[in-house]
Amino acid sequence: VYVANKEKACNNVGIINNTVRLPDYIPEHDLLRVIDFYNNDKTVDGILVQLPLPKHINSDKILKAISPEKDVDCFHPSNVANLWLGKEGIKPCTPQGIIDLLDYGNIDLRGKHVVIIGRSNIVGKPLAQMMLKENATVTICHSKTKNLQEITKLADVIVVAVGKRNVLNGDMVKDGAVVVDVGINRNDEGKLCGDCDYDSLVDKCSLITPVPGGVGLLTRVTLLDNVLLAHSLNNMCQ
Ligand code: GUN
């Protein structure tokens, strides 16, 4: 789902994309060679390695091998460091998509209590930093958090990025809360659904994002933005 949507997004705006499908038994050193090839290809502006990788491959090593100027996911340690230092540059796609979505919805984050459920490197952790930059007060919850409901009930904005169904329901939020659902799961009928129990939340929230049709689109817009930025970074480097 992710890869097909990214390909479509690139095609829609005229960004030439090439999905390299590799066997899941590929040795780590061969994958590193593929990355090195595209790092040195001056016609390529951005590289994205779709996660998760097979267990025998060290993801950290692979993400570190991508040239930071071509790292359109913002997963390279030096891009992550820049993010935490509040510097300009490539932004993590889903967190930036969430910031943009709330901005389009005229949600002013200044002084608001934002509760993030999930502490992944892809969403929870970078989003916390970006919310702090927006002057929000941020709480990160995770699988070991005690009394989750007591915390979520205090939140003005709740972002759920766990990858599990029904993590948040209507009893867990205050009236008028804003809920952003980042999850993509399949329900018992095989249909796409998020991490939230949408039906119990929709009448209680002032804004809630659906799945599908919610955060995903803005995630891909950030990815396209990052490709444009990478294009200028790579041209400056040449
Ligand atoms: N797998 C799930 N989400 C993502 C993402 O944003 N980027 C990559 N590369 N892999 C993912």
Side-chain angles (χ1 to χ4, degrees):
V1 173
Y2 284 124
V3 173
N5 284 339
K6 286 170 191 177
E7 287 170 337
K8 261 186 247 161
C10 286
N11 293 339
N12 283 343
V13 298
I15 289 176
I16 301 165
N17 59 96
N18 177 26
T19 302
V20 182
R21 289 180 195 278
L22 300 164
D24 59 5
Y25 52 80
I26 186 170
E28 187 179 88
H29 59 90
D30 283 351
L31 180 54
L32 287 168
R33 288 216 330 240
V34 174
I35 291 170
D36 192 49
F37 175 82
Y38 289 110
N39 277 343
N40 291 305
D41 184 340
K42 290 197 170 23
T43 67
V44 170
D45 290 311
I47 302 171
L48 179 156
V49 176
Q50 187 66 26
L51 302 175
L53 288 171
K55 282 202 171 57
H56 68 279
I57 291 179
N58 179 339
S59 301
D60 288 346
K61 205 165 160 186
I62 298 301
L63 298 177
K64 207 170 163 187
I66 297 172
S67 158
E69 291 80 21
K70 296 192 179 188
D71 169 35
V72 288
D73 253 332
C74 194
F75 289 165
H76 189 284
S78 58
N79 286 330
V80 175
N82 279 338
L83 179 81
W84 280 94
L85 294 170
K87 297 207 172 131
E88 290 305 311
I90 288 175
K91 293 286 184 297
C93 299
T94 302
Q96 184 62 47
I98 293 167
I99 298 282
D100 290 341
L101 184 140
L102 295 172
D103 186 38
Y104 293 141
N106 285 321
I107 311 291
D108 183 6
L109 291 165
R110 204 168 5 157
K112 297 275 170 61
H113 185 193
V114 175
V115 170
I116 300 168
I117 311 179
R119 53 176 158 179
S120 69
N121 289 337
I122 298 184
V123 185
K125 282 190 229 165
L127 180 63
Q129 197 286 335
M130 293 166 88
M131 288 289 186
L132 283 176
K133 205 168 180 209
E134 298 291 324
N135 295 308
T137 302
V138 183
T139 303
I140 307 182
C141 300
H142 47 79
S143 52
K144 304 287 183 294
T145 297
K146 290 191 179 136
N147 307 324
L148 179 63
Q149 179 160 345
E150 282 174 24
I151 300 169
T152 54
K153 273 211 175 253
L154 299 173
D156 302 304
V157 177
I158 307 171
V159 180
V160 192
V162 175
K164 228 171 82 183
R165 284 160 57 193
N166 299 324
V167 172
L168 191 78
N169 63 51
D171 294 334
M172 298 171 73
V173 304
K174 69 178 180 188
D175 282 336
V178 171
V179 171
V180 179
D181 190 346
V182 182
I184 300 192
N185 311 294
R186 294 213 181 257
N187 66 15
D188 295 333
E189 290 103 58
K191 281 198 188 145
L192 287 182
C193 66
D195 288 352
C196 296
D197 177 17
Y198 184 89
D199 291 345
S200 70
L201 282 158
V202 67
D203 292 332
K204 238 179 148 186
C205 296
S206 57
L207 187 150
I208 177 167
T209 61
V211 180
V215 173
L217 173 64
L218 285 150
T219 296
R220 295 191 291 279
V221 170
T222 308
L223 175 65
L224 302 176
D225 251 357
N226 281 345
V227 176
L228 286 182
L229 180 58
H231 177 73
S232 49
L233 291 175
N234 287 303
N235 283 342
M236 278 192 304
C237 291
Q238 278 170 27

